[in-house]
Amino acid sequence: MGLPHGVLDGAPAPAAVPVPVPVPAPASASAGARAALLVLADGRFPAGGHAHSGGAEAAVRAGRIHDARTLEEFCRGRLHTAGLTAAALAAAAAAGADPLGLDDAADARTPAPALRTAARRLGRQLMRAARATWPSPELDALAAARPRGAHQPVVLGLAARAAGLGPPDAALAAGHETVSGATTAAVRLLGLDPFDATAVLARLAPELDHVAARAAEAARRALSEGPDALPAASAPLLDLMAEQHAAWPVRLFAS
C-alpha cells in the first residue's frame, strides 16, 4: 500500500480525510431483502388473489370495462381510491403500527359488507402463505387474534415486515395488487389481449409510484398520530357493485 506524500521526506503528513459513513435509506428494504418484494408481489404467490377480480367482473357486466382503454380508466380510479387506502394500511403495518388497530381502521374504511368479507378471506389466505414463507411472531400473533382473517392490506404489511421489507415496499406491493388483479381478470372476462393488459399496468406505473410514496408518508405520520392519519379514500361505485356482485347466483370470481 502506498504511503501519503511527505511521509518519506520528513514533511508532515496531510490530515486524514474522514470516511463517509453510509446512511441507510429510511424505512426501505436492504439490498438482501429487495428480492423478497418480487416474491410478495408475484401473481403466482399463493395468496388467493387469482379468485378475485377487484370489481372488474361487475364492471364488465355493467359495460364500464369493455377494452384496454376503459380497463385503464377503471384501474386508475381504483388505484387512487381503494389502492391508496390499502397501500397506506400495508405501509403502516410494515412500519410497526399496531396491527389490530390497523385492522379496525381497515374495517372503518370498508363500508361494503361484501368487500369486508373478501378482504378478510384474502387476508386469511395470505396469512397462511406468509407464515409458511417468512415465519414471524408478529404474523402468529395476528393470526391468533383474528382467526377468521385480518384485512388483506394489514397482513400484507406484516408479511413485508417479516420479509425484511420497509413501508415503501409494502405500499408498492399493495398498490400493485390493487390494479394487477383487475387487469388479469379482464383478460379472462373479455378475452383481452394479455399484451394490452400488461401495457395498461406499464402506463400506470408512474402513478403507482406516486400513490406508494403518499401511502408511505401517511404511514410515517400514523406512527405518532394514530390510524386517523391514514387516508380514507372511497370509491362508492365499487362498494355498490361489490354488493350487487355478491348476490349473483353465478359468477366467475369471488369478488
Side-chain angles (χ1 to χ4, degrees), residues 127-223:
M127 179 68 79
R128 291 179 59 197
R131 291 173 75 190
T133 308
W134 299 291
S136 158
E138 291 180 315
L139 286 170
D140 293 342
L142 181 58
R146 294 287 190 271
R148 299 183 64 182
H151 277 262
Q152 192 264 3
V154 180
V155 180
L156 178 62
L158 272 192
R161 182 176 172 87
L165 299 167
D169 303 298
L172 198 61
H176 178 264
E177 189 273 337
T178 297
V179 293
S180 62
T183 56
T184 301
V187 171
R188 296 171 63 184
L189 291 162
L190 294 170
L192 196 66
D193 188 330
F195 295 162
D196 291 338
T198 302
V200 167
L201 292 177
R203 288 193 293 271
L204 289 173
E207 294 177 59
L208 175 55
D209 286 338
H210 176 66
V211 165
R214 286 182 60 193
E217 173 57 25
R220 185 192 64 78
R221 295 196 309 271
L223 291 179

Side-chain angles (χ1 to χ4, degrees), residues 1 24 58 71 78 116 155 179 183 186 199 205:
M1 179 181 296
L71 173 62
R78 182 168 167 74
R116 286 200 297 271
V155 180
V179 293
T183 56

Side-chain angles (χ1 to χ4, degrees), residues 92-103:
D98 173 28
L100 295 180
L102 293 175
D103 195 55

Side-chain angles (χ1 to χ4, degrees), residues 24-38 160-169:
S28 63
S30 65
R34 179 66 65 177
L37 178 59
L38 303 179
R161 182 176 172 87
L165 299 167
D169 303 298

